[in-house]
Amino acid sequence: MSQHLNLAPMIASEEVRKNFIKSFILVAFVAAAVFGASWYLGKLLGDVKVGVFIGLVIVAIVLPLQILTSKWMILSMSRGRPVNPNDLRERRLLHIAEGLAVSAGLRRVPEIYIVPTDVPNAFASGMSEDSAFIGVTEGLLDMMDNQELEGVLAHEFGHIIHRDIMLNSLVIGLISSLLVIVVIIERLGFMELIYGGRRRSRDRDSGGGAAVIVIMLIVLLIRPLAMLFGALLQSAISRQREYAADAVAVRLCSYNEGLASALEKLSGDRQYSDQDIESLGSKQLASMYIHFPDANELFSTHPPINDRVKRLRNMY
């Protein structure tokens, strides 16, 4: 008996709901971290309201920049070009996408772009249904049959339906804002160490020495800890969205084997070389692709493919 039969059957819509709740909780953690850093900045400045206001201003600047420049940056980094409808091999992408758009109830078919690399992969992007687009590598076109290709595209449609790219941009923007606030705290900490030394030396008998140690620890650790926290949360959110998109693919295709078979083909034992990563547009785009192997599972933006395949084959 195959190993996947040991799992309890899952309903695709229920899997989507559970992963949405988990993603919401993780995003709330990021937002809470930004607020906490802003609050602490205010404590250092002597006015919590000022710190929170500075944090809000930073978020208000960083988030729009992230959202407005994302499409240009993604297509520039991946070197994506529009699909050629006169090419029979590429035309099938349009036919499959049109059928999935009808099944998903979308108002328009997402734009399709071809990424010039033989590494089989695909991604979706766009802030909304009207701006959504999908990238497919030449390697994926060569490797997949129509059923498998439909499963992959349906997975990417899942990201579009759930506006995962907007969620990803929100997370990246919040983490970037957090790091900016942390840098300000770090600088204020250095200033406190330098210019507050005389005052603390006078207060040494009343605990000034302990204050110096605390400030030094904050200055030294706050940035690496913030970066570690951001990377862990971003990876965790990305993994949850992959599970949810897999579940949507099952719902759109009305079967699970197309995507399951495609993921098995994408898996293998291959780890991406530096050249592979560069051909896909750099590791900065890792969370967007349907599969991006990472030796460090803790920071991996994708769940293990074996786990995804088991879930898919027990989903209906």
Side-chain angles (χ1 to χ4, degrees):
M1 183 178 291
S2 61
Q3 188 176 5
H4 69 267
L5 292 179
N6 294 326
L7 296 176
M10 294 180 289
I11 301 173
S13 57
E14 178 63 16
E15 185 71 3
V16 170
R17 186 189 68 83
K18 288 191 298 184
N19 284 286
F20 178 82
I21 293 173
K22 291 176 183 177
S23 298
F24 178 82
I25 293 171
L26 290 169
V27 172
F29 271 114
V30 181
V34 173
F35 177 81
S38 301
W39 178 87
Y40 186 74
L41 174 61
K43 292 287 286 184
L44 289 178
L45 294 172
D47 191 332
V48 171
K49 292 181 180 179
V50 171
V52 173
F53 176 76
I54 291 173
L56 289 174
V57 170
I58 291 172
V59 171
I61 292 172
V62 172
L63 272 181
L65 284 175
Q66 175 68 32
I67 291 171
L68 292 174
T69 61
S70 61
K71 181 175 182 177
W72 175 83
M73 289 184 62
I74 291 166
L75 290 178
S76 175
M77 294 170 71
S78 65
R79 306 183 314 283
R81 61 168 177 81
V83 68
N84 180 7
N86 296 319
D87 186 314
L88 292 177
R89 187 183 62 154
E90 296 180 15
R91 189 188 302 170
R92 66 178 176 140
L93 278 173
L94 296 177
H95 293 325
I96 294 172
E98 288 168 358
L100 289 171
V102 172
S103 298
L106 300 183
R107 294 187 300 272
R108 62 181 285 274
V109 180
E111 298 173 357
I112 308 292
Y113 290 86
I114 302 297
V115 179
T117 173
D118 62 357
V119 180
N121 224 317
F123 68 82
S125 187
M127 293 298 108
S128 67
E129 178 185 330
D130 293 330
S131 63
F133 62 97
I134 294 173
V136 175
T137 68
E138 293 176 344
L140 191 84
L141 275 177
D142 293 335
M143 177 180 284
M144 303 295 168
D145 61 29
N146 285 348
Q147 189 181 62
E148 293 162 345
L149 191 57
E150 183 182 36
V152 171
L153 288 180
H155 170 96
E156 303 306 336
F157 268 75
H159 287 305
I160 293 170
I161 293 168
H162 292 154
R163 299 195 175 186
D164 285 343
I165 308 306
M166 179 179 288
L167 175 67
N168 190 51
S169 296
L170 171 65
V171 172
I172 292 174
L174 287 174
I175 291 174
S176 300
S177 301
L178 173 64
L179 293 178
V180 171
I181 296 168
V182 162
V183 169
I184 297 174
I185 292 173
E186 187 182 61
R187 295 293 183 267
L188 288 174
F190 276 122
M191 291 175 63
E192 176 67 15
L193 284 173
I194 295 171
Y195 297 109
R198 293 180 181 178
R199 174 175 54 78
R200 285 191 299 272
S201 65
R202 292 195 300 267
D203 298 337
R204 193 174 305 277
D205 293 337
S206 59
V212 173
I213 295 174
V214 170
I215 294 172
M216 287 183 65
L217 287 174
I218 291 173
V219 169
L220 292 173
L221 297 178
I222 191 167
R223 193 192 299 193
L225 286 177
M227 293 176 67
L228 176 64
F229 174 80
L232 287 172
L233 278 179
Q234 186 178 1
S235 298
I237 292 170
S238 176
R239 288 194 292 269
Q240 292 304 320
R241 303 322 296 158
E242 291 302 314
Y243 282 133
D246 286 348
V248 171
V250 173
R251 194 171 64 190
L252 289 180
C253 297
S254 299
Y255 58 86
N256 54 23
E257 189 55 35
L259 180 56
S261 176
L263 288 175
E264 285 182 328
K265 282 187 176 181
L266 288 174
S267 177
D269 297 322
R270 176 179 181 178
Q271 290 291 322
Y272 284 175
S273 66
D274 291 341
Q275 185 177 359
D276 291 336
I277 294 172
E278 183 64 27
S279 71
L280 291 170
S282 89
K283 200 167 185 177
Q284 294 180 32
L285 303 183
S287 63
M288 295 176 49
Y289 281 99
I290 190 171
H291 170 58
F292 209 97
D294 195 322
N296 190 332
E297 292 186 7
L298 187 63
F299 294 99
S300 176
T301 56
H302 292 69
I305 276 192
N306 289 339
D307 184 38
R308 292 171 68 182
V309 170
K310 289 176 186 176
R311 283 171 173 254
L312 281 166
R313 288 187 170 142
N314 282 274
M315 195 180 299
Y316 63 94

